[in-house]
Amino acid sequence: TATPVMSAIGRNNVKNVQFDWQVESLPTPSATGKLEGFELSRSAATATSRVSNVAMISKRDATVTGSQEASDPAGKRSEMAHQLAIMSKALKRDMEVALCQKGAKTTGNATTARVTGGFESWITSNVSRGSGGSGSGGGAAPTDGTQRNLSETLLKSVLQSAFTNGGEPSMAICGPVNKQVISGFTGRSQARQFVDANTVEASVSIYASDFGELQIVPANLSRETSLLLVAPDFAKVSYLRDFSTVDIATIGDAETKMIVVEYGLEMSNEAAHGVVADLNVS
């Protein structure tokens, strides 16, 4: 629940710092029939587009003194093991931020770290932006526009656009303020429902739209100004190097271990997803 985007989408392995994939669309449907005994008029193959992103490196490390490791602290078998468990969770949170925000794809150099193009940097087909907001996709960071209130109308327009483009997002990732806004949508007869004498249900966890059910997932690592509509089957975390623990040379009376991972976002088809951007957060 702390990393909803990373946990929901798929994963695969890649072999290069810059990794590529193919994006394709089905031919336009046709209701035209063929004559009996027709002669075949060959059609050209459906063209695909080659798309790329960059793998970035994230790390966390922990240092434990000899005294800490030798002591018998309550509830811990090993201080280093405890610290590595904490750093593992912290590293996954770092990855969630990189994957679901608007970081621009950056190839890096000797003085600049590589950055993988985040979720928001790819979406162009199904978007709603405030005045002045824009985005070119392809891993380029979008330009934020004037913030406005989230409304059911805005959400419906992006869901309709996604359905028209063949996408079926099933998750809505939103910040805490806009999660409460969604819970106040008037799509149902009343925003508050009595479950029993001691419980009042005022939350929306599933939004049943005209184009399918949408799971409403509150998150605090994505940008709160953006409501992300995610189709988990059409995005992946691509690992160049999976999680590994590295022993760092001991200096004096302390031990250091590092957890490192190299990964990037594969946006299998951006038209499957959507974003309602430039939202007020208070």
Side-chain angles (χ1 to χ4, degrees), residues 86-106:
I86 294 174
M87 291 304 104
S88 295
K89 293 180 180 180
L91 185 55
K92 290 179 180 179
R93 288 163 57 88
D94 295 342
M95 293 175 66
E96 179 79 0
V97 171
L99 292 168
C100 69
Q101 294 200 11
K102 70 166 190 173
K105 179 175 69 174
T106 306

Side-chain angles (χ1 to χ4, degrees), residues 164-182:
T164 301
N165 287 319
E168 296 181 359
S170 60
M171 296 176 62
I173 310 295
C174 55
V177 170
N178 285 307
K179 172 63 174 70
Q180 292 186 316
V181 172
I182 293 174

Side-chain angles (χ1 to χ4, degrees), residues 8 24 30 32 56 83 107 127 132 157 186 210 221 235 241 252 259:
E24 59 188 358
S30 173
T32 303
M56 65 183 290
Q83 292 299 322
T107 55
V127 297
S157 68
T186 56
D210 293 322
L221 298 178
R241 287 185 289 164
I259 304 175

